[in-house]
Amino acid sequence: MNINGVQIDATFAEAFPMRGTRIIITAQNTKWAQIAAQTLTGFATSVIACGCEAGIERELDPSETPDGRPGVAVLIFAMGGKTLAKQVETRAGQCVLTCPTSALFSGLPDGDPIALGKNLRFFGDGFQISKRINGRRYWRVPVMDGEFLCEESTGMVNAVGGGNFLILAESQPQALAACEAAIEAMRKVPNVIMPFPGGVVRSGSKVGSRYKALNASTNDAFCPTLKGQTQTQLSPEIESVMEIVVDGLTAEDISKVMRVGIEAACRLGPRNGIRRISAGNYGGKLGPFLFHLREIMA
Amino acid sequence: MTMLILTLRSEPQQRIDVAPLTPDGLLDKSAGEIGDILLQTGNRQVRTGELFDIEGNDASHMVLRGATGKLDFIGRGMAQGMIDVEGDAGSYLGMQMKGGHLVVRGSIGAYGACELKNGTVIIQGNAGDFLGASLPGNKKGMAGGTVIVRGNVGDRAGDHMRRGALLIEGNTGAYLGSRMTAGTIAVLGKTGRYPGYAMGRGTLLLAQAPAEILPTFNDCGTHTLGFIPLLLKGFGGLDTPFSNMSESLRRVRRYAGDMSGLGKGEILVAAGT
């Protein structure tokens, strides 16, 4: 398959089941909602070492938020429900409760409930106030800038993590430009996040390592400087490879956003050094979700 | 299917307990069966058919036509459907109601919506004392649902209230929210003396400053509270001016009390009043 002169490999991205949730952070203005959201989603690129994968889904207009203030929707994913609940609570407590003017709400009313303000309320030291509004419980926790308003719980659903594709280019700047174009288009798709820095991974990994302590190590088959040293997947003209990883609430969301991203990258074409699109997989051993590139782009 | 209309034939001499006449109790009953239901009045029982003309067959939407203040316990314990009271209602309207809608075109007596569990009660006129309260001797008042009163209410509204919302568009009597445990009472009109007497928790949201605040309520200053727009937005599906008052009620003066008891309740008075 070839799109705009860019080869689409006959391979697939391999993704795995996760548990996910959406939370809504509001604040006095978008700037402070973003600050709270960015702080909460910091150090949340990969479950390998961060405990969860999190990112900003999109900014919300005041008309879309529970308290009528500007807000940000955040998606958080983890490998299990207990881990997700712990990560959400810890991050909410340290990053949103502490952030000036912020409030925190559920973005997924359905699903299995996990705590948001259920335990954070105890920060109020007995001065916290509960309010049940339209069947949902909220906590008003007195803090030094006024009150921290926080919904009791949010919903947790089954989700999919690890959707991905690789952009193979003739140079590092060209690979990055294609990734930026892809990410810009992908950020318009709901229900997904691209958790790595700027949405892009330059250190794609393979399972296992020659060092016993490591579960994963560099994906040497796609490292351009190792072309003559390992069983490479790269042709001579490829000088840089970058990966975009996607987590989403459903497999359909992943398929949709991968297509959008690949289309945007391919639009640059060989004239801008974009030569191939590939994907990371582990031979079907890692997860039950297989996203075949040629089927997605058909 | 047409809505079930019960028309009172004449003004009763004595009070009548109409608790059996709820959508739950009348579903799947024929007009004849409804007419045979016995209602307590004074020390005797009277057939419903002797007191009311019965039309229609859809008990999920009932109309009590020509109702008077002598009809007690309207909608008692109802869990579904709607009762539309064309006229006044007596005491204990919507007592221990679990769901559904109850609309009264006139005024009601004492203990309206007492021990309400859920559902919506709308009073177009006035309400007597102990609206949303607990029954005498009980300690759990209204525990859910929403009550809207377009007119005025008597004393002790929300006594022992535990949850839910009382939205009063007129004036209130004395001791509003007395012994309240939780929930919200909002008032657009004037509030009588000593609101929040012995309240442990809960919120009184007042558009006008009350006649007198107990010395056991402490002034916590004026604040812009984020939960108020959320709370008022929650009334958006109801026909009440409170749902459009986010801005005018957002900045409030907060009084915490009643310090003679638990002291975790609050009276929020719209700033500038």
Side-chain angles (χ1 to χ4, degrees):
Chain A
M1 178 183 265
N2 189 297
I3 299 176
N4 195 29
V6 180
Q7 179 190 319
I8 308 297
D9 283 2
T11 187
F12 59 89
E14 190 172 350
F16 42 86
M18 298 185 90
R19 299 284 271 165
T21 188
R22 179 191 284 118
I23 57 174
I24 293 172
I25 301 169
T26 67
Q28 180 177 287
N29 51 41
T30 302
K31 172 188 168 184
W32 282 100
Q34 276 282 4
I35 288 172
Q38 286 166 9
T39 312
L40 180 138
T41 57
F43 187 57
T45 56
S46 169
V47 289
I48 292 174
C50 306
C52 71
E53 298 179 7
I56 292 172
E57 184 185 17
R58 68 185 180 99
E59 287 186 0
L60 299 171
D61 189 75
S63 64
E64 299 176 280
T65 62
D67 63 352
R69 301 192 300 169
V72 172
V74 170
L75 292 174
I76 309 172
F77 300 87
M79 296 306 286
K82 281 185 183 172
T83 310
L84 181 65
K86 181 71 180 168
Q87 286 289 331
V88 168
E89 194 164 64
T90 306
R91 288 166 184 267
Q94 298 304 309
C95 307
V96 185
L97 167 66
T98 56
C99 182
T101 78
S102 70
L104 184 58
F105 304 99
S106 166
L108 277 179
D110 301 322
D112 304 324
I114 55 172
L116 271 187
K118 187 177 180 182
N119 298 315
L120 292 182
R121 68 179 154 124
F122 293 115
F123 183 74
D125 199 25
F127 295 105
Q128 69 272 19
I129 296 173
S130 162
K131 277 288 159 204
R132 185 175 277 274
I133 301 170
N134 278 349
R136 301 190 69 78
R137 184 182 290 280
Y138 300 85
W139 288 98
R140 297 163 53 197
V141 181
V143 285
M144 293 192 331
D145 79 342
E147 281 186 345
F148 172 55
L149 180 61
C150 186
E151 195 163 343
E152 163 111 333
S153 62
T154 185
M156 175 174 63
V157 295
N158 290 327
V160 181
N164 69 81
F165 62 92
L166 307 174
I167 298 174
L168 287 67
E170 290 172 11
S171 72
Q172 196 179 73
Q174 288 171 320
L176 188 58
C179 286
E180 286 177 345
I183 289 294
E184 188 180 344
M186 294 167 79
R187 287 208 167 122
K188 294 172 183 162
V189 178
N191 303 333
V192 296
I193 54 162
M194 285 64 74
F196 283 92
V200 186
V201 196
R202 63 96 171 263
S203 58
S205 59
K206 66 175 182 293
V207 174
S209 163
R210 67 180 64 194
Y211 302 107
K212 286 182 182 175
L214 295 180
N215 297 322
S217 59
T218 192
N219 194 356
D220 52 87
F222 285 91
C223 289
T225 59
L226 301 181
K227 273 188 275 195
Q229 219 176 334
T230 189
Q231 194 168 352
T232 188
Q233 294 278 329
L234 306 180
S235 49
E237 74 277 11
I238 303 299
E239 194 179 303
S240 182
V241 180
M242 293 185 191
E243 180 177 0
I244 292 178
V245 174
V246 188
D247 297 332
L249 294 180
T250 67
E252 291 71 32
D253 294 323
I254 301 270
S255 292
K256 184 178 176 186
V257 78
M258 281 177 65
R259 181 185 174 93
V260 167
I262 292 170
E263 278 176 348
C266 290
R267 221 167 279 135
L268 293 173
R271 276 186 303 177
N272 293 296
I274 309 305
R275 304 300 291 265
R276 273 173 61 198
I277 301 293
S278 191
N281 66 66
Y282 309 92
K285 295 173 188 167
L286 182 67
F289 300 102
L290 307 181
F291 297 95
H292 292 268
L293 296 184
R294 292 186 175 178
E295 288 177 14
I296 287 174
M297 301 310 294
Chain B
M1 297 279 276
T2 54
M3 58 187 178
L4 180 66
I5 303 173
L6 303 178
T7 306
L8 194 63
R9 287 185 180 149
S10 59
E11 174 76 19
Q13 296 296 309
Q14 295 199 46
R15 310 189 73 81
I16 305 170
D17 178 352
V18 296
L21 305 181
T22 61
D24 313 72
L26 303 188
L27 273 180
D28 303 325
K29 281 193 166 60
S30 66
E33 289 171 321
I34 294 171
D36 288 337
I37 292 173
L38 295 175
L39 302 177
Q40 191 74 36
T41 174
N43 61 358
R44 65 195 184 99
Q45 291 187 317
V46 182
R47 286 178 60 251
T48 301
E50 289 179 32
L51 298 170
F52 294 92
D53 290 327
I54 303 168
E55 299 170 59
N57 50 13
D58 181 8
S60 66
H61 186 168
M62 286 176 55
V63 177
L64 284 178
R65 192 160 283 167
T68 79
K70 287 184 177 168
L71 300 184
D72 293 333
F73 297 104
I74 293 175
R76 177 180 174 174
M78 68 184 271
Q80 59 180 313
M82 172 167 182
I83 301 180
D84 189 346
V85 181
E86 295 184 354
D88 294 336
S91 297
Y92 304 103
L93 173 113
M95 174 179 148
Q96 295 169 345
M97 183 173 152
K98 300 181 191 73
H101 302 278
L102 222 171
V103 178
V104 181
R105 309 291 168 180
S107 297
I108 67 167
Y111 286 100
C114 67
E115 300 185 4
L116 183 81
K117 310 289 185 220
N118 207 344
T120 309
V121 177
I122 299 176
I123 316 295
Q124 302 287 9
N126 302 322
D129 295 341
F130 291 99
L131 177 75
S134 63
L135 288 169
N138 288 355
K139 288 190 173 179
K140 294 180 180 177
M142 179 174 160
T146 305
V147 179
I148 299 174
V149 181
R150 308 273 185 231
N152 305 324
V153 305
D155 295 341
R156 304 285 287 267
D159 185 52
H160 274 312
M161 181 172 168
R162 292 175 64 80
R163 198 177 289 149
L166 278 181
L167 307 179
I168 300 161
E169 296 173 15
N171 305 324
T172 78
Y175 297 101
L176 175 73
S178 56
R179 303 186 289 183
M180 195 170 166
T181 311
T184 303
I185 303 177
V187 182
L188 276 184
K190 293 176 182 170
T191 308
R193 300 176 75 191
Y194 308 134
Y197 171 77
M199 76 190 285
R201 298 179 194 271
T203 302
L204 304 184
L205 179 59
L206 311 180
Q208 299 182 38
E212 196 168 344
I213 287 186
L214 287 160
T216 47
F217 274 80
N218 293 347
D219 188 352
C220 298
T222 303
H223 305 280
T224 302
L225 299 178
F227 91 96
I228 293 178
L230 182 71
L231 177 77
L232 299 177
K233 193 176 166 184
F235 303 134
L238 304 167
D239 178 22
T240 170
F242 284 104
S243 60
N244 298 317
M245 297 186 69
S246 293
E247 287 309 311
S248 56
L249 289 177
R250 186 166 193 164
R251 190 152 177 81
V252 292
R253 192 161 198 96
R254 182 172 190 269
Y255 298 87
D258 185 338
M259 294 300 173
S260 66
L262 186 63
K264 291 185 176 178
E266 61 183 356
I267 300 175
L268 305 177
V269 182
T273 64

